[in-house]
Each structure stands twice: as C-alpha cells, then as structure tokens.
C-alpha cells in the first residue's frame, strides 16, 4: 500500500513513529509529512528528529511544500493517517482549510473519497472538538481517539502504544500481531 502519514503537534508523537516502524517492516510505501509543532513534539517526547523519521519514511515531504505529490488527487494513495492529530489540524480539516501539506493531503483524501484516519490526542474535549470530530465522521473520516484498551493486560508502555497502532492498522486493513485479540 501507498500510505500518507502525518505527525502533528499533539502529544502522542510516539504513535506516528511506531506506525511508521510497523508500516516499514510490512513493506508499505510511506509518504510522511510532519508539522512544525510535530517536529517539536517528536524531539520533546521521543528525542528524535528528521534523521530518524527520514530513515522510517519512503519519502519525507516538507510541510510548506503544498506542490508535493501528495497534494494532488492524481497521485494515487490508498490512505492517510494523522497520528497524532492536533485539534488545530482536526478543526482546519473540518473547516476545509488547506494551507499546509498536512491539510492539503487530508483535503485530497476527502475530495477523492479515500480513507482518512485521524488519531486525535486531547483531553478534556470541548464541544467544539466534538462537533469537529462529528463533522469529519459524517464525511467518512475514521476518528480513532488515542484511547487504548487494556483488556489485553499490557505490561509495558510499548504494549499500550502497540494497541493503538494496531487499531490504526485495523482501520487500514493491514494485518498485524501488535496485540492479542479479544477471545471472550
């Protein structure tokens, strides 16, 4: 699969990083774009920068380059994931604002009817946040809040992270063994 992955400035950059690791290991082509605040959060929370993300990405795009391949509907992609998705990014997508490459690529997914998965990471949520999520869900966006389950009894933070990344993979139709399935 050819998948666009965006990392924005919400806490939870580890979800985007881990998703890139999983997609790379599975042999998927990734087109990655990180917002300015996304780079700051990656550095603060994960102690990583451009070099590490470049090694995980098939192609790393600059957020200001709105003429990049992923800004066009004629560039075929199967899906886009924004993990984590800041409320600014979520609100901008809901309002149809596309003034950087993350937003333009998301706009392309919407207009082309392609799969868009967002992983909002904020708490508490205001009525504005909820209304924006509802608006996007009604447009077909898969809203996957960073709310991991614990039924698999994780023993480490990595297992909690893998639970969320596994749910993202489920939304994309990508097989994985990131967490044990509920057996009842």
């Amino acid at each position: 699969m050819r998948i666009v992955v965006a990392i924005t400035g919400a806490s939870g950059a580890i979800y985007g990083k881990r998703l890139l690791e999983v997609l790379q290991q599975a042999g998927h082509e990734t087109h990655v774009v990180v917002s300015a605040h996304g780079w700051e959060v990656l550095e603060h929370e994960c102690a990583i920068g451009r070099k590490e993300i470049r090694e995980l990405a098939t192609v790393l795009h600059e957020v200001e380059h709105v003429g990049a391949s992923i800004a066009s509907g004629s560039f075929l992609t199967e899906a886009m994931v924004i993990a984590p998705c800041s409320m600014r990014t979520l609100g901008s997508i809901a309002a149809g604002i596309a003034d950087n490459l993350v937003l333009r690529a998301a706009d392309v997914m919407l207009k082309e009817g392609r799969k868009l998965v967002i992983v909002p990471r904020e708490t508490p949520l205001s009525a504005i946040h909820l209304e924006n999520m509802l608006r996007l869900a009604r447009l077909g966006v898969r809203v996957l809040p960073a709310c991991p389950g614990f039924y698999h009894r994780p023993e480490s933070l990595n297992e909690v992270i893998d639970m969320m990344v596994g749910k993202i993979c489920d939304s994309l139709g990508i097989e994985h063994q990131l967490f044990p399935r509920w057996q009842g």
Side-chain angles (χ1 to χ4, degrees):
M1 290 179 77
R2 180 185 281 169
I3 303 168
V4 178
V5 176
I7 298 172
T8 66
S11 182
I14 190 67
Y15 294 124
K17 176 189 178 279
R18 181 68 177 126
L19 177 63
L20 289 173
E21 292 169 348
V22 169
L23 294 175
Q24 184 183 62
Q25 290 168 0
H28 296 285
E29 179 181 334
T30 57
H31 288 258
V32 180
V33 59
V34 180
S35 72
H37 293 298
W39 287 118
E40 292 173 10
V41 176
L42 278 165
E43 174 64 35
H44 178 76
E45 293 182 353
C46 305
I48 63 170
R50 289 180 188 276
K51 179 181 180 284
E52 293 85 356
I53 296 299
R54 189 172 285 116
E55 290 171 358
L56 293 172
T58 307
V59 179
L60 179 61
H61 299 277
E62 294 300 321
V63 72
E64 302 86 19
H65 188 210
V66 293
S69 58
I70 61 173
S72 174
S74 67
F75 185 74
L76 299 178
T77 58
E78 281 77 19
M80 178 177 183
V81 177
I82 306 174
C85 184
S86 69
M87 289 301 131
R88 178 195 183 282
T89 299
L90 190 150
S92 294
I93 295 167
I97 298 169
D99 62 358
N100 67 39
L101 188 54
V102 172
L103 301 175
R104 175 59 189 163
D107 192 55
V108 166
M109 294 293 134
L110 289 172
K111 79 181 188 70
E112 297 294 332
R114 297 181 191 153
K115 195 173 291 187
L116 175 58
V117 178
I118 61 170
V119 183
R121 217 305 310 147
E122 184 63 74
T123 193
L125 296 168
S126 74
I128 294 170
H129 300 149
L130 294 167
E131 287 174 359
N132 284 335
M133 284 186 229
L134 179 59
R135 183 174 193 178
L136 291 177
R138 286 182 172 151
L139 294 172
V141 174
R142 177 70 53 97
V143 180
L144 218 159
C147 301
F150 291 90
Y151 57 83
H152 65 296
R153 297 186 179 186
E155 295 180 6
S156 70
L157 183 56
N158 287 339
E159 290 179 2
V160 174
I161 293 163
D162 278 355
M163 170 64 162
M164 279 307 308
V165 172
K167 297 300 279 184
I168 295 167
C169 289
D170 287 349
S171 290
L172 298 173
I174 294 173
E175 291 185 30
H176 65 85
Q177 301 296 318
L178 292 169
F179 62 88
R181 303 276 179 192
W182 177 251
Q183 300 299 315

